[in-house]
Amino acid sequence: MAPGRHSTRPAPRPYRKWAAFGAAAAVVAAGYVVAGAADTPAPGPGSSLCRAADDKREMRGAWLTTVGNIDWPSEPGLSAGEQQEELDARLDEAADLGLNTVFLHVRPTTDALYESDLEPWTRYLTGEQGGDPGYDPLEYAVAGAHERGLELHAWFNPYRVGISSDLETLADDHPVKDNPDWMVRYGGEGFLDPGNPEVRGWVTDVIMDVVDRYDIDGVHFDDFFYPYPKEGEEFGDDDSWEAHGDGFEDRDDWRRDNVDRFVAGIHERIEDTKPWVRFGISPFGIWRNSGSDPAGSDTDGLESYAAQHADTRTWIQDGTIDYVVPQLYWERGFGAADYEVLTDWWADQVEGTGVDLYVGQAAYRVGEPGWGESSLTDQLDYSDGVEEVGGDVYFSFTSLTEEAADAFAHLAGEYYTDPALPPLGDVAPDTDPEVGAVRGLSAETGGEGTELSWDALDGARSYAVYRIDADRARAVAAGGVEDVCEALTSEALLGVTGTPSWTDGSDGEGAYVVTALDRFRIEGPAADPVDPRA
């Protein structure tokens, strides 16, 4: 997702050209029960009573990039143990930074960061495409993320095969070896042809294989569909245009239709299989300029509609994506592509559609002219006031711990002082939680802080841990929905965990409450408060 294809984007760094990458929801429900009640889902009003006061949900994510070993693993050829150690460190850093979602690059070049019968192992694990790393990195990553209370979205590049040097060393079982007509060489790179129905079917099957077999929280695409244009070159899809272009007078319209069909098909398959798995796309930040289309933004840059044939606005209107993360990698006041102008434009597109909007933030640009310690905070200072913006995703993960570390710390001190629950899944506002109240909550204070534990709850995806004062604890114990909504706020939220235990290392006092979140991220009823000092 890195920049470098147009004058409105900064120059690329080595290999990053490969990565060019609402207040929702049902919150604490009714039916709050005391200890000893049955472990059954409690009826509740979903978000209808708590929505106005609910500021607990926000996307706080980062792209963990594997292509070119940008973020992980640090280099190819590490042992399984070394890779796992590095991945553990990245996930620990995500939790420490206050993030709640990791977008893991699982299919960088028509290969797999996971055990697959369809495509070979990615070269970025062992240095050789098809080389077995000795474990399943995606399985390991999902388990590690969930244990830490993080969501993991599997990030796929649908059509990229590799640069020229990659194409000379494709594994014997690479799909292009069996189907050479699937690939188009363009600009020194190889791409699967989106106009070939066999290609679209293959990629869909690859993605659904992951959805079926892994406990992921989301499926994610970046901005690569048709490749970014190269001056003086044409994408060589004549054969598929002649075979499948009937009904279209314009090849560009046909290309957009190919991408539209693919996106809609993925969304439909996920909804039919695991509707709690969210599907989102991170397009280039400009759909169309107003000079090309009155519905476009007041900008003057490359248009994803024409360049990648990605009609993101149609996907939003048709509801074929659950969330969109436009890459707004330009600063406030930048003439050709102003961050404020584009934030407002994207907010207008999602308003009333049910599609969530998160902003793709350019953490990698910190240190460039005009991008100082306050640069990321400056962006959120604006978009935080735009109601439709439900959070942010940062490119790339390593930037948050290196060049952007101080800038992100500045941002976190302004905006991430309280933890955030993940955004809600695609459910109706009055949907009841699938989980009941947490049982067996106990708290014991010692030298290391307060140790909490509770019984694991069937159907719980994660647990939210709160600390509240005595008055609010009594109100929660009484079980009044409005009192519970008022008590279990973002300020009271200590964090989210995937395990039935928590250590509060602070010296704060009060009563503890734990709720469970189901697979749609709906928060279940509150357990009886426990005060270890009472």
Side-chain angles (χ1 to χ4, degrees), residues 468-522:
I468 56 180
D469 62 31
D471 289 341
R472 289 188 169 179
R474 284 189 289 270
V476 169
V481 173
E482 293 184 4
D483 290 334
V484 173
C485 293
E486 184 178 344
L488 302 189
T489 63
S490 59
E491 290 81 6
L493 181 64
L494 296 179
V496 180
T497 179
T499 63
S501 62
W502 180 270
T503 299
D504 179 11
S506 72
D507 57 1
E509 296 185 0
Y512 295 92
V513 177
V514 177
T515 62
L517 278 67
D518 67 21
R519 56 191 178 177
F520 289 96
R521 297 79 163 174
I522 302 174

Side-chain angles (χ1 to χ4, degrees), residues 90-114:
R90 298 290 84 77
L91 296 176
D92 285 341
E93 288 167 351
D96 291 342
L97 289 168
L99 304 180
N100 57 23
T101 307
V102 172
F103 295 81
L104 177 63
H105 207 189
V106 302
R107 188 180 185 260
T109 53
T110 316
D111 49 17
L113 192 85
Y114 55 91

